[in-house]
Amino acid sequence: MIITPVTKQDHSELIAIWEASVRATHHFLNNADIESLRPLILNQYFDAVTLQCARNEQGTILGFCGVAENNLEMLFIHPDHFGKGAGKALCRHAIQKMGVTSVDVNEQNPKATDFYKHMGFVITGRSAMDGQGNPFPLLHMALG
């Protein structure tokens, strides 16, 4: 597995990975929520972060992360590759090479919270709403 920068040409593959990952892990979102987020992710959020992806030996993207201002803004792995090291590799890369010190996690996604705790983050706070003002609480985490 290698970590590489993302190009604009990768964005269509990344949004497919994002959607597959969200559908597998964000059970609190309904189809309308996902449909409304997709264009925001693709047309705004990807451009607001530095994106890196994990690729296998054949060059297939397994997952990706996005970082802005030392915050891990996004980390999504295709469900076919859950538990196989891509998330850990991307998170380690984000911390060691991109200066990540914090992450916000949906409270309703306990597996993600456990993952970040395993990676060395601790909960430092909570917000009742997500970044779009929706009632999906966020846990604020920082490296411990």
Side-chain angles (χ1 to χ4, degrees):
M1 181 177 339
I2 59 167
I3 308 294
T4 65
V6 168
T7 66
K8 276 274 199 202
Q9 291 75 23
D10 296 320
H11 284 195
S12 61
E13 192 171 351
L14 297 190
I15 200 67
I17 291 169
W18 169 83
E19 185 170 346
S21 182
V22 165
R23 290 188 184 280
T25 60
H26 291 57
H27 304 293
F28 54 93
L29 295 177
N30 63 36
N31 194 55
D33 295 326
I34 293 169
E35 294 295 324
S36 68
L37 281 170
R38 186 187 300 114
L40 292 173
I41 301 286
L42 186 59
N43 300 317
Q44 294 177 29
Y45 299 165
F46 281 168
D47 292 332
V49 297
T50 301
L51 291 165
Q52 299 280 302
C53 65
R55 296 179 186 268
N56 65 14
E57 297 76 28
Q58 293 76 37
T60 302
I61 298 175
L62 311 176
F64 67 94
C65 69
V67 174
E69 298 178 14
N70 303 100
N71 193 60
L72 184 59
E73 297 287 344
M74 54 182 79
L75 175 63
F76 294 96
I77 307 301
H78 192 282
D80 291 348
H81 303 288
F82 285 175
K84 297 179 182 175
K88 286 181 184 175
L90 283 165
C91 191
R92 271 197 224 87
H93 179 84
I95 292 166
Q96 295 170 356
K97 306 284 187 195
M98 302 174 78
V100 161
T101 58
S102 61
V103 63
D104 291 336
V105 177
N106 289 104
E107 185 177 61
Q108 295 155 296
N109 187 355
K111 286 185 180 179
T113 303
D114 290 344
F115 169 81
Y116 289 116
K117 285 179 180 177
H118 179 76
M119 296 303 296
F121 290 86
V122 295
I123 297 170
T124 59
R126 181 184 184 274
S127 297
M129 304 284 199
D130 70 6
Q132 290 77 42
N134 295 313
F136 305 126
L138 294 177
L139 296 176
H140 309 294
M141 301 181 81
L143 282 176

